[in-house]
């Protein structure tokens, strides 16, 4: 479904991503691991169209999409949940969800059905439907941004550090939801610093180090061959 080759991302003189190549097959859950600053978010943002890479190729369903706008990427079926977890704080939970369906304005019935599906999957969001999103806890906001991304009916979900800064019990729930979404047929590229937990649910993994893909393989092999502690430390 997704094929990235020779990706280069630069911020002025900083080469954040250096010739990274990776692929995600239909229905796969693939983890992209690495220490802080390794280039994970830059890779994800390039795929989502949120920044323009200096070089490389990004193919979605075989079609070159490098340089495509984020909105068009959503229309093509690839939605990103950025690590910044940016809800619209003054809008209600329900309004935030509706905005996630911006690509489907003519489909009120389908949008309502999907909203219902998301509220069933995230009961805490149903309880807080009429509450401003800014009043939610960090874990609830993470659930909301995932649910909001799902409102565009993506085939590929790009998740950037969904566990960041959350308490262990909440992290468990977020990971359980990722597994559930995947079971429902979604293809997922999961960026995580929380390597052990990501490897426990992923099919395959890539390890980034200083902008390059340093290792890749089946999740179990990466877990066995990699010093996971070193991933956090950047070694
Ligand atoms: N907007 C930016 N401007 C300048 N440098 C940036 C910017 N965003 C990221 N970087 C740099 O690019 C490198 C990779 O960052 P990032 O992709 O955010 O890594 P990760 O998500 O793995 O922590 C880091 O050295 C970081 O400091
Ligand atoms: Mg990041």
């Amino acid at each position: 479904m997704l094929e990235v080759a020779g990706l280069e991302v630069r911020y002025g003189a900083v080469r954040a991503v250096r010739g990274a190549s990776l692929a995600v097959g239909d229905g796969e859950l693939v983890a992209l691991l690495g220490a802080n600053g390794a280039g994970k978010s830059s890779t994800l943002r390039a795929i989502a169209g949120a920044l323009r890479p200096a070089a490389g190729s990004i193919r979605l369903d075989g079609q070159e999409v490098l340089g495509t706008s984020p909105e068009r990427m959503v229309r093509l079926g690839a939605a990103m949940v950025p690590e910044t977890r940016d809800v619209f704080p003054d809008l209600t939970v329900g309004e935030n969800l509706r905005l996630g369906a911006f690509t489907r304005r003519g489909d009120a019935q389908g949008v309502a059905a999907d909203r219902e599906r998301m509220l069933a999957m995230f009961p805490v969001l149903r309880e807080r439907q009429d509450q401003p999103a800014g009043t939610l806890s960090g874990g609830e906001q993470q659930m909301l941004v995932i649910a909001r991304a799902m409102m565009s009916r993506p085939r590929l979900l790009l998740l950037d550090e969904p566990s960041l800064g959350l308490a262990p019990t909440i992290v468990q729930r977020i990971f359980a939801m990722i597994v559930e979404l995947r079971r429902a047929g979604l293809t997922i590229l999961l960026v995580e610093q929380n390597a052990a937990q990501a490897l426990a649910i992923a099919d395959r993994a890539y390890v980034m180090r200083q902008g390059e893909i340093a290792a890749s393989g089946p999740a179990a092999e990466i877990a066995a061959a990699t010093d996971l502690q070193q991933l956090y430390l950047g070694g």
Side-chain angles (χ1 to χ4, degrees), residues 190-214:
L190 171 66
V191 163
E192 266 294 338
Q193 267 196 74
N194 204 331
Q197 295 209 54
L199 288 170
I201 63 169
D203 300 305
R204 291 188 303 113
Y206 294 87
V207 178
M208 275 193 105
R209 208 165 280 149
Q210 295 176 356
E212 296 179 351
I213 301 290

Side-chain angles (χ1 to χ4, degrees), residues 9-12 14-17 32-45 51 83 160-161 191-193 208 210-211:
V9 175
R10 293 185 193 132
Y11 304 101
V14 177
R15 285 182 70 201
V17 181
L32 180 58
L33 311 173
N36 197 20
K40 307 180 299 296
S41 294
S42 299
T43 300
L44 219 58
R45 290 171 58 219
L51 62 76
E83 63 188 332
D160 199 350
E161 305 240 25
V191 163
E192 266 294 338
Q193 267 196 74
M208 275 193 105
Q210 295 176 356

Side-chain angles (χ1 to χ4, degrees), residues 46-52 64-73 76:
I47 296 167
L51 62 76
R52 205 186 162 88
E64 182 60 59
V65 292
L66 186 125
T68 301
S69 74
E71 182 185 331
R72 174 109 181 100
M73 286 306 289
L76 290 174

